[in-house]
Amino acid sequence: MDKVKQSFEEIVKQIPDGASIAVGGFGLSGIPEKLILALVKQGTKDLTIYSNNCGVDDWGLGLLLKEKQIKKIVASYVGENKTFEQQFLNGEIEVELTPQGTLAERLRAGGSGIPAFYTAAGAGTPIAEGKEVRNFDGTDYLLEQGIIADFAFVKGYQADRYGNIVYRHTAQNFNPLCAMAGKVTIAEVEEIVELGTLAPDAIHTPAVFVQHVLKGTDYEKRIEKRTVRSKGGEA
Amino acid sequence: MDKVKQSFEEIVKQIPDGASIAVGGFGLSGIPEKLILALVKQGTKDLTIYSNNCGVDDWGLGLLLKEKQIKKIVASYVGENKTFEQQFLNGEIEVELTPQGTLAERLRAGGSGIPAFYTAAGAGTPIAEGKEVRNFDGTDYLLEQGIIADFAFVKGYQADRYGNIVYRHTAQNFNPLCAMAGKVTIAEVEEIVELGTLAPDAIHTPAVFVQHVLKGTDYEKRIEKRTVRSKGGEA
Amino acid sequence: MAAREVIVQRAVKEVQDGMNINLGIGMPTLVADALPEGVDVLLQSENGMLGIGPYPVEGTEDADLINAGKETITAAKGASYFDSATSFSMIRGGHIDLAILGGMEVSERGDLANWMIPGKMVKGMGGAMDLVVGAKRVIVIMEHVNKHGESKVKKTCTLPLTGQQVISRLITDLAVFDFTPEGMVLIELLDGHTLEEVTEKTEASFQNGLNKGEAKSRF
Amino acid sequence: MAAREVIVQRAVKEVQDGMNINLGIGMPTLVADALPEGVDVLLQSENGMLGIGPYPVEGTEDADLINAGKETITAAKGASYFDSATSFSMIRGGHIDLAILGGMEVSERGDLANWMIPGKMVKGMGGAMDLVVGAKRVIVIMEHVNKHGESKVKKTCTLPLTGQQVISRLITDLAVFDFTPEGMVLIELLDGHTLEEVTEKTEASFQNGLNKGEAKSRF
């Protein structure tokens, strides 16, 4: 069982126009840089994207936006992206805003065979519109649907050839959930290690959720807000 | 912030008759031995227990059964326990059988602010009786409710004083889910380590889910079915 | 060969390289031992493990490392441990390619009963109800008739169901059946058994698909 | 003191040793820096972290270690990382003791609006809608009036809501209010401001609870 593939260009060939893709990452942290770039290069159109954010103007999912490859995005926050603003105002892109916790849970649910669940997030707000409201023990909850995507793009730190993945620090974020939600999950990682190297007690995404693994090189890992303190001092 | 307590006897004093407790473990693996023993000694009655199994006649939750301390149990499999059989046939104990995956998800849901979710497990079977059935995309699903327990007993391998926990191998099982479902979660572990020792990327139960931590000694860790192969040979 | 051995030897042919597989308690567990050398699969255990290895060498048993049947096991290279909710995310979410489960009764519609005998002590369904609705392919293996010689392959299950219309394929000691949109189809006779014998020992109605190549499973 | 500083200094008094706390983006983040030495709390970040430490020393920033505001941070001793679903299990499941969030408008019923201004670009709610329904205690901190001098403490919010009847306490640069079953109650005046001034600058109806000891929060 060897899920390791060599070419990003080759791997995205299976993704047709109109596909839906769950894309890991939070802001620009833990995003599948190489898979996004390969998809930009391939020019695949009419994509439905499930992702917490939509990158920035010149990086991450923002690159797909710029090329007008995205038809619809389901996200919790798209405020960092001016390209998005223009396309939204022009009606070129459809957006479904969903609370961050609801998005995370919808991805997990879809990947877990749970078609729908109830959450209080958004009850009594504009996003409740059109959703079933149900009261449990005196509180209103919204019915939210699980997400199953045709593909998932995830970015790991290390993987083995079975497709076991570990993430690094907060670059974990939505990645394990996207891996669950994808019918075909493609993982890019910084390092592919020998089978048996990853501690079985510390694997974040077990192999069963992953179909393809690729090693990326020269990761940019851009930082959106560089906040620091001076040595020994305060922020 | 130091959640480490010294006495099992003291810690269970907060548990009144009639309390509900989510108890980690699968079979006799990863069960909170010491907390169960302390509760047996205390004699707390009319308990509602959420646990995948109910121990064996002379160990684990079976000890609480023997002393008739359990009023109701929600479990997926209770077949290893003859005491249970007698009490069930005598009408001394109420049992709610729930598919194993449904029980795991109900505990996680309760701990996650999700009052209910849909699952196909059990649709069209006797356990669907009295439950809402709903069709999504041509398949029938049952509405299942999240579980919130007054207390949770979990058994970890290592913990720090904040209450971060790691489990060992398949002794993880239901423990992280019970930790989530408990209003007050009490963890017993084999070792308490210095803060900062546990790798932040490999913590199974983050501190936020745990209220008390105790170190147990002389763990019995009984084995229900000892299956082996001879050295170099087959099973 | 003994009936169980016939069944296990046939069941093992269902396993393909690269599969993620859940084996039920009892006879299905024997499939693991019968796997040919070099077949690279990941065996899943409901309690929370992917990559079950062989039983431990005597003296190395570990109470913290058991399978869903509560047997002591080992971990194969590339194994992982996780909580039981994640385990059933795999199962219910369709990430397990194949589940091989035992059966008490199977109906011609592909219903399975394997968890409860009314009047006897209730033991519980464990993970069976999740597995039958979640695994991509559910294969039931069981002896064709019970110890009284009565068919376990029924028109309708008389025992309480584990799941409705959930079985892809049934393997008994006599024959192999597929469950298709057109009904139950006999696709193989095992170990020298005849169509007449199978017909006689099967309460369910089935089509004869023996000369039609492999029947197309519904699932 | 500047308005923001007054607010932050008052907000920090809400923090108790041992709490698990989520601080919203913007002004609430400043509360972390204002915590007195020795107060032992765990700061949670929605993307998937418990135990945020101070900003990194220049040159040690790590793109794989950011908070919900996408700022580079460090991990405190005893920190843990997890996926975003687990993060919101903590939040929605009532495991976060205290959320301190910014506000655009607050109503006398305890409604909060802080995510959207109609006609302006939609940015999204991020984790705010989950936090307001899930945290054990939700404290909103904001300036009492907007830059046009209009009250942000309303009878009814004019902006789209983040959550209905979700606020436990409101801290502005003028005063502190609790939301109780009997309505909104003024419990403190800040920084020398008077009841008259607060009354004048508050569109919402509130009770004067200044001399009644601490009001009992609804939540």
Side-chain angles (χ1 to χ4, degrees):
Chain A
M1 200 185 315
D2 191 347
K3 298 176 185 168
V4 178
K5 308 291 155 48
Q6 300 307 323
S7 161
F8 284 94
E9 206 169 303
E10 286 296 319
I11 205 74
V12 297
K13 282 193 178 159
Q14 62 188 305
I15 301 173
D17 287 353
S20 62
I21 315 179
V23 182
F26 175 85
L28 297 181
S29 184
I31 60 169
E33 298 184 6
K34 310 299 171 194
L35 285 164
I36 293 169
L37 287 170
L39 206 58
V40 169
K41 194 170 168 198
Q42 179 168 280
T44 314
K45 296 254 184 272
D46 293 327
L47 298 168
T48 294
I49 300 289
Y50 302 100
S51 174
N52 190 60
N53 312 92
C54 201
V56 295
D57 288 328
D58 62 347
W59 194 236
L61 290 173
L63 299 173
L64 283 171
L65 264 184
K66 201 184 246 174
E67 301 300 326
K68 304 194 176 176
Q69 294 174 257
I70 302 178
K71 184 181 68 181
K72 178 179 177 178
I73 180 155
V74 180
S76 91
Y77 191 82
V78 291
E80 318 287 8
N81 197 308
K82 293 205 179 69
T83 316
F84 181 87
E85 187 164 350
Q86 288 157 11
Q87 292 186 22
F88 181 71
L89 295 174
N90 297 344
E92 292 174 321
I93 189 168
E94 186 186 343
V95 61
E96 179 185 329
L97 286 172
T98 181
Q100 191 171 339
T102 300
L103 179 60
E105 194 65 17
R106 287 179 66 192
L107 289 162
R108 181 189 173 280
S112 303
I114 293 171
F117 60 90
Y118 290 94
T119 172
T125 80
I127 71 131
E129 212 173 288
K131 287 180 187 158
E132 177 186 316
V133 179
R134 185 159 176 167
N135 194 289
F136 293 92
D137 289 330
T139 302
D140 280 345
Y141 294 82
L142 304 182
L143 183 69
E144 295 280 1
Q145 313 262 334
I147 292 170
I148 297 173
D150 298 329
F151 297 90
F153 285 0
V154 306
K155 160 67 174 59
Y157 175 47
Q158 294 178 316
D160 61 29
R161 65 177 169 87
Y162 278 4
N164 290 302
I165 302 177
V166 295
Y167 306 95
R168 194 167 163 275
H169 306 351
T170 59
Q172 183 172 168
N173 56 60
F174 281 78
N175 280 300
L177 315 168
C178 290
M180 294 168 85
K183 285 185 205 167
V184 175
T185 291
I186 310 173
E188 58 172 275
V189 298
E190 296 175 49
E191 201 182 337
I192 293 174
V193 300
E194 277 298 307
L195 199 65
T197 308
L198 302 176
D201 281 312
I203 286 169
H204 297 121
T205 292
V208 75
F209 295 118
V210 178
Q211 279 67 51
H212 307 289
V213 178
L214 295 97
K215 181 182 178 331
T217 49
D218 304 317
Y219 273 96
E220 289 206 17
K221 299 218 246 181
R222 291 199 195 169
I223 290 174
E224 274 178 90
K225 294 182 190 162
R226 192 174 300 270
T227 42
V228 297
R229 58 187 156 143
S230 52
K231 273 176 193 157
E234 284 302 300
Chain B
M1 200 185 315
D2 191 348
K3 297 177 186 168
V4 178
K5 308 292 155 45
Q6 299 307 323
S7 161
F8 284 93
E9 206 168 304
E10 286 296 320
I11 206 75
V12 298
K13 282 193 178 158
Q14 63 187 306
I15 301 174
D17 287 353
S20 62
I21 315 179
V23 182
F26 175 84
L28 296 181
S29 183
I31 61 170
E33 297 183 9
K34 310 299 171 193
L35 286 163
I36 292 170
L37 287 170
L39 206 57
V40 169
K41 194 172 168 197
Q42 180 168 277
T44 315
K45 297 255 183 268
D46 293 329
L47 298 168
T48 294
I49 300 289
Y50 302 101
S51 173
N52 190 60
N53 311 93
C54 200
V56 294
D57 287 329
D58 63 345
W59 194 237
L61 290 173
L63 300 172
L64 284 170
L65 264 185
K66 201 185 247 176
E67 301 300 325
K68 304 195 175 175
Q69 292 175 258
I70 302 177
K71 184 181 67 180
K72 177 180 178 177
I73 179 152
V74 180
S76 91
Y77 191 81
V78 292
E80 319 286 8
N81 197 308
K82 293 204 179 69
T83 317
F84 181 85
E85 187 165 350
Q86 289 156 10
Q87 291 188 21
F88 181 70
L89 295 175
N90 296 344
E92 292 173 322
I93 190 168
E94 186 186 344
V95 61
E96 180 184 330
L97 287 173
T98 181
Q100 192 171 340
T102 300
L103 179 61
E105 193 66 18
R106 287 180 65 193
L107 289 161
R108 181 190 174 278
S112 302
I114 293 172
F117 60 90
Y118 290 95
T119 173
T125 80
I127 71 132
E129 213 173 287
K131 287 179 186 159
E132 176 186 318
V133 179
R134 186 160 176 166
N135 195 288
F136 293 92
D137 290 328
T139 302
D140 279 346
Y141 293 82
L142 304 182
L143 183 70
E144 296 281 0
Q145 313 263 333
I147 292 170
I148 298 173
D150 298 328
F151 297 90
F153 286 179
V154 307
K155 159 67 176 57
Y157 174 47
Q158 294 179 315
D160 61 28
R161 65 178 169 85
Y162 278 4
N164 290 301
I165 301 177
V166 295
Y167 306 94
R168 194 167 163 274
H169 306 348
T170 58
Q172 182 173 168
N173 56 62
F174 281 79
N175 281 299
L177 314 168
C178 290
M180 294 169 85
K183 286 186 204 167
V184 174
T185 292
I186 311 173
E188 57 174 274
V189 298
E190 296 176 47
E191 202 182 335
I192 292 173
V193 300
E194 277 298 306
L195 200 65
T197 308
L198 301 176
D201 281 311
I203 286 169
H204 297 121
T205 292
V208 75
F209 295 118
V210 178
Q211 279 67 50
H212 307 289
V213 178
L214 295 96
K215 180 180 178 332
T217 49
D218 304 317
Y219 273 97
E220 289 203 21
K221 299 221 247 178
R222 291 199 197 169
I223 289 175
E224 274 179 271
K225 293 181 190 162
R226 192 175 300 272
T227 42
V228 297
R229 58 186 156 146
S230 52
K231 273 175 194 159
E234 285 302 299
Chain C
M1 280 197 284
R4 285 166 72 93
E5 202 178 327
V6 169
I7 295 170
V8 168
Q9 288 305 327
R10 177 58 188 79
V12 83
K13 292 186 189 163
E14 302 288 332
V15 175
Q16 287 163 28
D17 206 68
M19 276 184 165
N20 300 291
I21 302 175
N22 184 293
L23 300 174
I25 293 166
M27 188 160 53
T29 303
L30 303 177
V31 173
D33 291 327
L35 288 174
E37 285 281 323
V39 172
D40 207 2
V41 296
L42 281 167
L43 298 177
Q44 203 253 12
S45 186
E46 293 99 300
N47 44 331
M49 180 180 187
L50 187 70
I52 302 175
Y55 290 127
V57 168
E58 206 172 334
T60 67
E61 313 93 271
D62 185 339
D64 292 339
L65 184 39
I66 64 171
N67 66 14
K70 287 139 195 166
E71 299 173 329
T72 47
I73 49 165
T74 59
K77 225 181 215 189
S80 55
Y81 306 108
F82 31 83
D83 68 53
S84 300
T86 303
S87 183
F88 282 90
S89 289
M90 295 179 186
I91 288 170
R92 262 190 332 255
H95 305 280
I96 300 297
D97 300 300
L98 175 62
I100 302 182
L101 304 174
M104 294 173 180
E105 289 181 351
V106 165
S107 84
E108 62 190 45
R109 301 167 66 218
D111 300 343
L112 172 65
N114 74 348
W115 73 284
M116 186 187 178
I117 301 176
K120 287 211 184 179
M121 177 56 195
V122 174
K123 288 172 181 289
M125 69 293 282
M129 288 186 179
D130 306 278
L131 277 162
V132 295
V133 300
K136 274 188 203 146
R137 190 167 163 76
V138 174
I139 294 181
V140 172
I141 62 177
M142 67 177 190
E143 294 180 35
H144 206 96
V145 298
N146 67 18
K147 49 190 161 181
H148 308 296
E150 296 158 352
S151 181
K152 295 166 71 175
V153 189
K154 303 280 199 187
K155 286 209 164 307
T156 305
C157 292
T158 59
L159 296 172
L161 295 187
T162 306
Q164 251 181 1
Q165 294 188 276
V166 290
I167 307 174
S168 301
R169 180 168 284 184
L170 168 66
I171 298 173
T172 75
D173 47 328
L174 305 186
V176 181
F177 300 89
D178 273 358
F179 296 85
T180 77
E182 290 74 39
M184 182 172 160
V185 181
L186 172 70
I187 62 160
E188 275 177 56
L189 294 169
L190 293 187
D191 208 24
H193 295 284
T194 64
L195 177 59
E196 290 64 37
E197 183 189 0
V198 169
T199 306
E200 186 202 306
K201 291 183 173 168
T202 305
E203 186 197 299
S205 301
F206 61 87
Q207 299 171 43
N208 179 351
L210 287 177
N211 299 314
K212 294 177 187 162
E214 185 141 320
K216 210 178 139 205
S217 168
R218 188 175 55 213
F219 306 101
Chain D
M1 282 197 284
R4 285 166 71 94
E5 201 178 328
V6 170
I7 295 170
V8 169
Q9 289 305 325
R10 178 57 188 80
V12 84
K13 290 185 190 165
E14 301 289 332
V15 175
Q16 286 164 28
D17 206 69
M19 276 184 166
N20 301 291
I21 302 175
N22 184 294
L23 299 174
I25 293 167
M27 186 160 55
T29 302
L30 303 177
V31 173
D33 291 327
L35 288 175
E37 285 279 325
V39 172
D40 207 3
V41 296
L42 281 167
L43 299 177
Q44 202 255 10
S45 187
E46 292 98 301
N47 43 333
M49 181 180 187
L50 186 70
I52 303 175
Y55 290 128
V57 168
E58 206 171 337
T60 68
E61 312 93 271
D62 185 338
D64 293 337
L65 185 39
I66 65 170
N67 66 14
K70 287 142 196 162
E71 299 173 329
T72 47
I73 50 167
T74 59
K77 225 182 216 188
S80 55
Y81 306 109
F82 33 82
D83 68 54
S84 300
T86 304
S87 184
F88 282 91
S89 287
M90 293 178 187
I91 290 169
R92 262 190 331 254
H95 305 280
I96 300 297
D97 301 300
L98 176 61
I100 302 182
L101 304 174
M104 294 173 178
E105 289 181 350
V106 165
S107 85
E108 63 189 45
R109 302 168 64 220
D111 301 342
L112 172 65
N114 75 348
W115 73 285
M116 185 188 178
I117 301 175
K120 289 213 182 177
M121 177 53 196
V122 173
K123 287 174 183 287
M125 71 293 283
M129 287 187 181
D130 306 277
L131 277 161
V132 295
V133 300
K136 274 188 203 145
R137 194 167 159 75
V138 174
I139 294 181
V140 171
I141 62 176
M142 66 177 192
E143 293 180 38
H144 206 98
V145 299
N146 67 17
K147 49 190 161 183
H148 308 297
E150 295 157 352
S151 181
K152 294 166 71 174
V153 188
K154 302 281 198 187
K155 285 208 161 311
T156 305
C157 292
T158 60
L159 296 173
L161 294 188
T162 305
Q164 249 181 3
Q165 292 189 278
V166 291
I167 307 173
S168 301
R169 180 167 284 184
L170 167 66
I171 299 173
T172 75
D173 48 328
L174 306 186
V176 181
F177 301 89
D178 273 359
F179 296 86
T180 77
E182 289 75 41
M184 183 173 161
V185 180
L186 172 69
I187 62 160
E188 276 178 55
L189 295 169
L190 293 187
D191 208 24
H193 295 284
T194 63
L195 178 59
E196 292 64 37
E197 182 189 1
V198 170
T199 305
E200 186 203 307
K201 291 183 172 168
T202 305
E203 184 197 301
S205 301
F206 61 87
Q207 297 170 45
N208 179 353
L210 287 176
N211 300 313
K212 293 176 188 161
E214 183 139 320
K216 210 179 140 207
S217 169
R218 187 175 55 213
F219 307 102

